[in-house]
Amino acid sequence: MTVRRTLPSRERSLIGAWCFLDHFGPDMVDRTGGMKVAPHPHTGLQTVSWLFAGEIEHRDSAGHNAFVQPGEVNLMTAGRGISHSEVSTAATRTLHGAQLWVALPEAARDTDPGFVHHAPAPVTGPGWEVRVFLGSLLGDTSPVATATPLLGAEVLLEPGTALTLEVDPAFELGVLVDRGRVDVDGTTAEPHDLAYVPPARDHLTLTSYDEPVRALLLGGPPFGESIVMWWNFVGRTHEEVVAFREQWQAQIVDGGLVDGHFGIPLGDASPPIPAPPM
């Protein structure tokens, strides 16, 4: 599959607590094989899945089996440790979307694992449509709880539309452009760009040009904690990450997954993904 590792980058590691953003597709599943991510572990983060097209089946070791569909958010809390798998369904022809991670702060990073699903209703106006999947925007608030203040929304603009949003001045913001060209407060962002907006603004204006725009608006106050992110783990020290890796490898026996710290995804007996060498 075509995957763009948009965050972290050399220029920026975090936007609020958002620490990872993979922008993938659109890919024709009959040619690429789709998404087949076998059981793998996570710690110290929340995964946020958002699709533009296709469907993915999610299974995790906290006992959840759910589907990711366009316009609906799945948030999985890894906390102290979880394992999960993600596989595009047989009905999927085109797969296109974003996989995001949120770093958990010190006070919440050892919580129990969990899972939440939410289908936000669209907020609409002349030439625009917004779905707020995390935080608050345009008078709509997502019921999905997060450990730090966050904003996550899909923004659709018809050609020649200017949308001015009230935003929290404590937030830094990122605008990921999926399609179309959009002016972000005076700076033009092209498809696949992630435009950065520093804190201290209480309004943000997004303006489309002569084609429709689809973008993700992400934000939160600067995280304020140093993290160590390696493979699928978020920790605070190298030694912690080494220990996480050892705990996962200890669960891989004869190519299969046995129960342990990260558990076994519900109903998924496929061979797990070993951790790479450090």
Side-chain angles (χ1 to χ4, degrees), residues 24-235:
F24 57 87
D27 278 284
M28 302 304 294
V29 170
D30 60 348
R31 292 203 297 263
T32 66
M35 181 179 289
K36 297 177 182 178
V37 184
H40 60 282
H42 287 289
T43 60
L45 57 83
Q46 293 175 308
T47 65
V48 179
S49 300
W50 187 263
L51 284 181
F52 304 130
E55 183 181 58
I56 296 170
E57 185 172 13
H58 162 98
R59 296 176 181 272
D60 69 43
S61 59
H64 304 101
N65 179 200
F67 291 88
V68 187
Q69 297 174 325
E72 303 179 4
V73 67
N74 280 4
L75 182 144
M76 183 187 76
T77 299
R80 57 181 169 75
I82 197 171
S83 63
H84 75 135
S85 62
E86 300 159 292
V87 179
S88 51
T89 62
T92 298
R93 297 293 175 263
T94 302
L95 195 59
H96 186 193
Q99 178 68 54
L100 309 101
W101 296 355
V102 175
L104 290 171
E106 183 65 34
R109 69 189 185 99
D110 291 323
T111 58
D112 291 337
F115 181 87
V116 179
H117 170 85
H118 174 53
V123 182
T124 60
W128 57 266
E129 179 177 296
V130 175
R131 282 179 167 81
V132 183
F133 54 87
L134 290 181
S136 297
L137 190 69
L138 292 166
D140 188 34
T141 298
S142 168
V144 179
T146 57
T148 57
L150 288 175
L151 174 61
E154 181 187 78
V155 179
L156 304 178
L157 303 176
E158 295 178 6
T161 299
L163 174 60
T164 298
L165 303 165
E166 291 187 17
V167 294
D168 191 326
F171 281 22
E172 53 185 354
L173 303 168
V175 179
L176 173 71
V177 183
D178 176 62
R179 70 180 182 203
R181 296 168 62 246
V182 60
D183 181 280
V184 182
D185 272 355
T187 299
T188 299
E190 306 279 348
H192 314 150
D193 285 348
L194 179 63
Y196 174 73
V197 181
R201 300 191 188 196
D202 55 12
H203 288 82
L204 177 70
T205 299
L206 304 176
T207 306
S208 59
Y209 292 91
D210 57 356
E211 56 187 325
V213 165
R214 177 164 56 201
L216 294 183
L217 175 60
L218 309 172
F223 190 57
E225 297 181 25
S226 295
I227 65 171
V228 176
M229 187 165 69
W230 180 84
W231 195 42
N232 300 315
F233 305 129
V234 171

